Amino acid sequence: MPRKLSALDPQRLDNQICFAVYSAAHAFNRVYKPLLDRLGLTYPQYLVMLVLWERDDVPVKDIGEKLFLDSGTLTPLLKRLEAAHLVKRTRSREDERQVLIALTPQGHALKDKARAVPQSILAASDCSVSELVAMKDEIVALRDRLNAVIGE
Amino acid sequence: MPRKLSALDPQRLDNQICFAVYSAAHAFNRVYKPLLDRLGLTYPQYLVMLVLWERDDVPVKDIGEKLFLDSGTLTPLLKRLEAAHLVKRTRSREDERQVLIALTPQGHALKDKARAVPQSILAASDCSVSELVAMKDEIVALRDRLNAVIGE
DNA sequence: GGACATTCAATTGCGAACAATTAAATGTGA
DNA sequence: TCACATTTAATTGTTCGCAATTGAATGTCC
């Protein structure tokens, strides 16, 4: 069994882009952890806050579409954010099926405290902004192609 | 506030490489799911099997180092693989602290059934092999730089 | 208007992921 | 040899992530 072939063996762990993505996601999470601990947020909670800092008072479904998460994940997460006094959940009056998520004053205020986070991540990446942007665009394009396949 | 600046705002969700990686990992997982369901495996279980198909009879720690996972994740996962008769867990006689993980005949046999998986993923990626390899190498390099920072 | 389907959030159950701790085995230095 | 640190898995508790189901509100079609 020639050694060279292993570099092409699609069944080898090191040749799989998916494992690269999977393990990179975990590495990011470990870098974010100490930064987000200071804000009292987990990474998925931070993502929800990023969405809300861009636009407030949106139904759960909108958050789910932006983050690719469903109510099974978001409902308990949002309840925890509410328990932390960062958001408020209220049934929409126009459509009683929807629950609207709004930031509290503390939720708004947290945006400033979170401003340093992206810079710290950039530093940890040890990479130029333009390189990161190029990688991000490639990964997003791949993600979108994968998501397109899921609906068959 | 000029609209153009949003493309540079590091606090915007769409500008974050980490979210790109995070959401791509989930997209991969959703593509893998129906393929792995046929094998009776989850994606992390599939990763463990990939490691074992390369080398058998290794301690839990070795698997953890390759996959960047700790015993808190692996111990219950390996017990599930053992319950599915794919691996066998035995205390090492040379070092009683270690638990060695070996494939059962069924575990070995599953490798053949899993051969089609990477091809299906490649097709779903809708992308050339060389492009995927280049992306994979970039992502691995980024992951390794991030992991280097974690030890401080 | 009324039967029917659809939409939205919540719930349940299971499998990761990880921090923190525990317990046992092994290694090290005096 | 004995005290002590280190290594290795296992355990506990919390939070994701998702499939599947439920129940209420809304839309649609006849």
Side-chain angles (χ1 to χ4, degrees):
Chain A
M1 197 177 252
R3 179 77 74 85
K4 291 276 183 59
L5 280 182
S6 68
L8 296 168
D9 181 356
Q11 218 167 6
R12 264 178 62 89
L13 182 69
D14 290 344
N15 295 337
Q16 304 215 351
I17 188 170
C18 181
F19 175 64
V21 171
Y22 169 90
S23 54
H26 290 317
F28 266 120
N29 198 42
R30 284 189 281 269
V31 173
Y32 269 101
K33 181 116 201 343
L35 302 171
L36 296 181
D37 276 350
R38 287 178 233 161
L39 306 177
L41 295 173
T42 65
Y43 182 69
Q45 288 169 6
Y46 172 68
L47 290 180
V48 169
M49 294 303 285
L50 285 177
V51 170
L52 295 174
W53 287 330
E54 286 180 35
R55 192 149 76 86
D56 208 1
D57 223 34
V58 291
V60 174
K61 186 171 194 283
D62 285 21
I63 300 174
E65 278 171 2
K66 289 197 177 162
L67 301 181
F68 306 98
L69 296 173
D70 68 0
S71 68
T73 301
L74 287 174
T75 296
L77 187 155
L78 290 167
K79 284 183 177 175
R80 284 188 278 273
L81 287 181
E82 189 174 44
H85 309 295
L86 295 173
V87 307
K88 200 154 150 35
R89 306 182 318 130
T90 48
R91 287 256 160 217
S92 165
R93 245 164 280 89
E94 299 97 66
D95 185 342
E96 294 261 337
R97 291 170 301 184
Q98 297 184 345
V99 169
L100 299 178
I101 308 299
L103 289 168
T104 62
Q106 289 114 301
H108 276 293
L110 200 62
K111 184 174 185 178
D112 272 336
K113 291 185 209 156
R115 215 142 241 153
V117 172
Q119 296 157 22
S120 303
I121 296 299
L122 177 61
S125 302
D126 189 25
C127 186
S128 76
V129 173
S130 59
E131 281 178 292
L132 282 181
V133 168
M135 276 185 74
K136 185 211 68 184
D137 289 342
E138 283 184 87
I139 296 167
V140 164
L142 173 60
R143 175 198 74 195
D144 291 345
R145 289 198 300 274
L146 290 171
N147 277 332
V149 169
I150 290 164
E152 243 91 327
Chain B
M1 198 177 252
R3 178 76 74 82
K4 292 274 182 61
L5 279 182
S6 68
L8 296 169
D9 182 353
Q11 219 168 6
R12 264 180 63 90
L13 183 69
D14 290 343
N15 295 337
Q16 304 216 352
I17 187 170
C18 182
F19 175 64
V21 171
Y22 168 92
S23 54
H26 290 319
F28 266 119
N29 196 44
R30 284 189 281 269
V31 174
Y32 269 101
K33 181 119 202 339
L35 303 172
L36 296 181
D37 276 350
R38 287 177 234 160
L39 306 178
L41 294 174
T42 64
Y43 182 68
Q45 289 168 7
Y46 172 68
L47 290 180
V48 169
M49 294 303 285
L50 285 177
V51 170
L52 294 175
W53 288 330
E54 286 181 33
R55 193 149 77 86
D56 208 2
D57 221 36
V58 292
V60 174
K61 187 171 194 278
D62 285 21
I63 300 174
E65 278 171 2
K66 288 196 177 162
L67 300 181
F68 306 97
L69 297 173
D70 68 0
S71 68
T73 301
L74 288 174
T75 296
L77 187 156
L78 290 167
K79 285 182 178 177
R80 279 179 217 111
L81 288 181
E82 188 173 45
H85 308 294
L86 295 173
V87 307
K88 199 155 150 35
R89 306 183 317 130
T90 48
R91 285 258 159 214
S92 165
R93 249 167 275 90
E94 299 97 65
D95 186 342
E96 295 260 337
R97 291 171 302 186
Q98 296 184 346
V99 169
L100 298 179
I101 309 299
L103 290 168
T104 62
Q106 289 115 301
H108 277 293
L110 200 64
K111 184 174 184 177
D112 272 336
K113 290 185 208 151
R115 214 142 241 152
V117 172
Q119 295 157 20
S120 302
I121 296 299
L122 177 61
S125 301
D126 189 25
C127 186
S128 75
V129 173
S130 60
E131 280 177 294
L132 282 181
V133 168
M135 275 185 75
K136 185 211 69 183
D137 289 343
E138 282 184 87
I139 296 166
V140 164
L142 174 60
R143 177 198 72 196
D144 291 345
R145 289 197 299 273
L146 291 170
N147 278 331
V149 169
I150 290 165
E152 243 92 326

